[in-house]
Amino acid sequence: MGRCRDIIGMLAKGTLDWVFPRTCRVCGQTLMADERLMCLGCMADLPRTGLHHIDFNTIHQRVGGSQLIDIAAGWFYYYSDSPYAALVREAKYNDRPSTGYTLGRLYGKELADEGFAGRFDVLLPVPLYRNKLLKRGYNQSEEIARGLAEELGCDVGDNLTALRAHSTQTRRSSFERYENVRGTYGVCHGDELAGLNVAIVDDIVTTGSTILDCVTALCTAAEPASVNVLTIGVTKMR
Ligand SMILES: [Zn+2]
């Protein structure tokens, strides 16, 4: 019976793909059955950062050193005019929570293939303040974290909280951005994180001010064994 259902499901999916062909979000060509979001060629050309192999990298530098953060990793470099950047924006603005989840799955699989499964106990998505969450309907960082957790075999926690809203970060300097977000994030039930390897998950890291405020909150209100960072996009510093 189960096998019958699987076959019917596959046929239905095949029919749907034929009526509404799934296309690569980067180059537009039709996707093969086992491809998700991107075709094989665009996956191969992804401008990967490789930061998870570098002990003291650009993300560590943006948050003021490597004292507080153990592994800091981001999947690919974010150039605003690149079609890959559109994927990150789609996960955030286009009412497409599944894009964030799939980006998380794809990145999580690569990390798992490189031995990172089991390195983290719980992933903590950067939260949205409640007004923004109500307006958007979902938190893209939580969707990314769910996809990552699926591949890395760990939990997703809701211990990071947004204590207040902050105004837009666009057109602010690094220092202004940090001043703008300082004290935005807090931790609830910090005792749950004691002795755990936690990873903060965000869609994109720019100046690092959001990550820095989350790290500060975690190190103040909890005693994790290590704090790590996982993001999908990483901007190039000017
Ligand atoms: Zn493509």
Side-chain angles (χ1 to χ4, degrees), residues 23-29 31 37-43 84:
T23 53
C24 172
R25 302 289 215 288
V26 180
C27 72
Q29 88 172 26
L31 291 178
L37 283 184
M38 281 178 271
C39 68
L40 216 55
C42 289
M43 275 289 275
Y84 293 105

Side-chain angles (χ1 to χ4, degrees), residues 77-88:
Y77 284 114
Y78 180 97
Y79 305 99
S80 57
D81 54 353
S82 144
Y84 293 105
L87 283 169
V88 179

Side-chain angles (χ1 to χ4, degrees), residues 55-109:
D55 290 340
F56 184 59
N57 63 43
T58 179
I59 300 177
H60 292 104
Q61 288 166 25
R62 293 177 208 193
V63 295
S66 57
Q67 311 296 327
L68 298 171
I69 295 178
D70 191 3
I71 298 163
W75 194 17
F76 57 84
Y77 284 114
Y78 180 97
Y79 305 99
S80 57
D81 54 353
S82 144
Y84 293 105
L87 283 169
V88 179
R89 290 195 293 271
E90 178 178 298
K92 194 169 186 167
Y93 296 118
N94 291 5
D95 196 20
R96 287 274 183 87
S98 63
T99 299
Y101 174 77
T102 306
L103 285 171
R105 288 285 304 261
L106 293 170
Y107 184 34
K109 182 166 185 336

